[in-house]
Amino acid sequence: MKQEIKVPAVGESITEATIGSWTKKSGDFVKRNEVLMLLETDKASVEVVAENDGVLTINPGCEAGAVVQIGATVATLDTDAKPAAGAAAPAAETAKAAAPASAPAGAAALPAAAGKDASAHLSPAVNRIVNEKGLDPSAIQGTGKDGRLTKGDVLEAQPGAKPAAPKAAPASAPTGAPALPAAASKQGDKKLVPMTTIRKRISEKLKEAQNTAALLTTFNEVDMGKVMELRSKYKDKFKEKYGVNLGFNGFFVKAVVEALKDFPAVNAWINGTDIEYHNYYNIGIAVSTEKGLMVPNVKDADTLSLAGIELAIRDLAAKGRDGKITPNDLGGGTFSITNGGVFGSLLSTPILNFPQSAILGLHKIQDRPMAINGKVEIRPMMYLALTYDHRIIDGKEAVSFLVKIKELVEDPERLLLEV
């Protein structure tokens, strides 16, 4: 029975996808639930698995890199076929079968010692000249240490030369260090790799944000001392009870939600000639993956506890790393947070996740001298950056929004009590 393998629906607004790669090839016998291919859309990567055992046949024009329509048949699976017997012979038997039992009659055998000494341990420069000139290394007498071939030996040799009798090694090594083989130049060594569908979409969205929004960034700094103390005190009990680490992102998500309630324009965006306000809080968390930067979002973050937020962030990060992010995970965000501090960034100006109107940038926590009540103290400080669309958010709102986040994070008891 031939079973069609079709491109699955991966989102309401998505009509086509790109075949990123096939993990199997035509003629392969595959088992049920094995991954056959990876589909890429402008929002996510989706794995397509075999629904039954069978032999795979990929349709013409459906190779890696092909753009296919949702619902199109890209391959078939012959569920009646069985694995070919003896399809893969053991390597040792294959090598044994390929090797002749004895040398052909009349063939001249090469001296074993000469062949071994001359051809072993060729330097990269010597090996390149040997290949370019089509030389037989065993036919060249080496003048280097232990009879090894030097660059000079192979430059002077002529193709077709017969094996030479070994010469006696020199009584002593020549004075002075031998000249090192010249390193091959890498000028012009480059390759072109097509952009993935996701990378193209990331580029388009970032450029759209720059071309459309009136971007402006405001900065502040937050003393992370109290949050760090709270985290240090309860992290073990938190992990034991909820099965997830107590990080810093959860505190900032809760602070952002409270600040958005006070400044609703930051949770809105421009829709044509209207301002679209949102009475829900879907907070995007930027995740760096092999495919590129993705921003899945924590849905209804205002309804979640600190533990619920941390669990949601953990699950989204895992899905991003495993290539299992869905369009639903990526869609619907109203505000985003990006944390360059995990890579060591001290300060940055993040770009909007368009059409959103603002994004919060977190950075590295660094001990710095601060003036506290007339005295200099060393405090763990973090710079905050808020990039916003000045068309909809005034400077006063942006600065006040960021100050609100600073006040809440510096007073985590107030944040958790929501007072």
Side-chain angles (χ1 to χ4, degrees):
M1 173 181 174
K2 294 291 181 67
Q3 184 179 67
E4 293 183 336
I5 298 172
K6 297 185 177 183
V7 180
V10 290
E12 292 183 4
S13 61
I14 299 174
T15 60
E16 64 181 22
T18 300
I19 299 177
S21 62
W22 285 95
T23 58
K24 303 292 182 180
K25 62 181 183 296
S26 288
D28 282 355
F29 181 82
V30 298
K31 301 287 289 182
R32 182 184 179 188
N33 292 330
E34 278 191 310
V35 176
L36 301 178
M37 66 174 174
L38 185 68
L39 282 176
E40 293 181 349
T41 72
D42 61 358
K43 292 185 176 179
S45 296
V46 179
E47 292 179 343
V48 177
V49 301
E51 296 182 0
N52 293 288
D53 297 356
V55 173
L56 177 70
T57 301
I58 300 172
N59 290 353
C62 296
E63 294 78 17
V67 177
V68 290
Q69 298 297 310
I70 300 299
T73 301
V74 293
T76 57
L77 198 64
D78 186 350
T79 57
D80 295 328
K82 302 297 180 184
E93 293 183 11
T94 303
K96 182 178 179 181
S102 58
L110 294 176
K116 178 180 178 181
D117 291 342
S119 61
H121 309 299
L122 296 182
S123 72
V126 170
N127 192 53
R128 177 174 57 82
I129 298 171
V130 166
N131 291 331
E132 289 176 353
K133 297 180 67 174
L135 302 174
D136 178 2
S138 63
I140 306 169
Q141 178 59 50
T143 60
K145 184 178 179 181
D146 298 327
R148 296 179 184 177
L149 296 182
T150 67
K151 188 175 179 181
D153 296 333
V154 293
L155 286 173
E156 295 176 359
Q158 299 298 322
K162 294 183 178 180
K167 295 181 181 179
S172 60
T175 58
L180 295 175
S185 172
K186 291 188 176 182
Q187 293 296 318
D189 184 8
K190 60 184 180 182
K191 64 179 180 179
L192 294 177
V193 180
M195 293 175 69
T196 64
T197 304
I198 293 176
R199 175 55 63 184
K200 290 178 186 176
R201 184 56 179 159
I202 291 172
S203 302
E204 291 168 0
K205 288 195 69 176
L206 292 177
K207 196 59 184 172
E208 183 182 11
Q210 286 188 322
N211 292 343
T212 306
L215 300 180
L216 188 63
T217 304
T218 185
F219 303 95
N220 212 313
E221 58 185 350
V222 57
D223 186 336
M224 296 293 291
K226 287 189 176 181
V227 167
M228 293 175 70
E229 289 174 10
L230 193 65
R231 180 174 178 267
S232 178
K233 183 176 181 180
Y234 293 108
K235 64 179 182 180
D236 292 336
K237 291 182 179 178
F238 189 89
K239 177 69 177 291
E240 182 181 347
K241 183 172 182 178
Y242 298 109
V244 64
N245 292 325
L246 177 58
F248 297 117
N249 282 335
F251 290 98
F252 279 101
V253 169
K254 290 194 74 68
V256 161
V257 168
E258 293 305 310
L260 289 175
K261 292 177 181 178
D262 289 350
F263 302 95
V266 185
N267 200 43
W269 59 62
I270 293 177
N271 184 354
T273 58
D274 299 324
I275 297 177
E276 181 177 312
Y277 289 93
H278 308 102
N279 58 2
Y280 54 90
Y281 305 91
N282 294 345
I283 310 302
I285 305 294
V287 176
S288 181
T289 73
E290 292 182 359
K291 298 289 183 180
L293 185 69
M294 297 181 182
V295 192
N297 56 86
V298 179
K299 300 289 194 296
D300 296 316
D302 58 314
T303 67
L304 300 176
S305 65
L306 184 64
I309 292 171
E310 290 289 358
L311 286 166
I313 293 174
R314 182 198 66 182
D315 292 344
L316 290 172
K319 291 173 73 174
R321 289 191 298 270
D322 297 340
K324 295 181 179 180
I325 286 286
T326 68
N328 182 60
D329 294 323
L330 297 170
T334 60
F335 182 92
S336 293
I337 299 174
T338 181
N339 189 352
V342 296
F343 304 111
S345 173
L346 189 62
L347 192 61
S348 67
T349 55
I351 299 178
L352 294 184
N353 183 21
F354 202 74
Q356 294 172 23
S357 296
I359 182 171
L360 177 67
L362 309 182
H363 300 91
K364 180 182 178 182
I365 300 172
Q366 190 172 59
D367 286 344
R368 293 203 300 273
M370 303 296 294
I372 309 294
N373 297 324
K375 296 181 180 179
V376 176
E377 295 183 16
I378 303 300
R379 304 298 300 165
M381 304 299 295
M382 175 196 287
Y383 286 120
L384 302 180
L386 180 75
T387 296
Y388 60 98
D389 187 347
H390 211 343
R391 297 178 303 165
I392 181 175
I393 303 171
D394 293 332
K396 179 182 177 181
E397 286 180 296
V399 172
S400 300
F401 175 84
L402 200 54
V403 169
K404 177 75 172 182
I405 292 174
K406 168 185 169 67
E407 291 174 349
L408 290 171
V409 173
E410 289 185 342
D411 192 357
E413 290 89 352
R414 175 187 172 192
L415 173 63
L416 298 177
L417 292 173
E418 299 181 3
V419 295

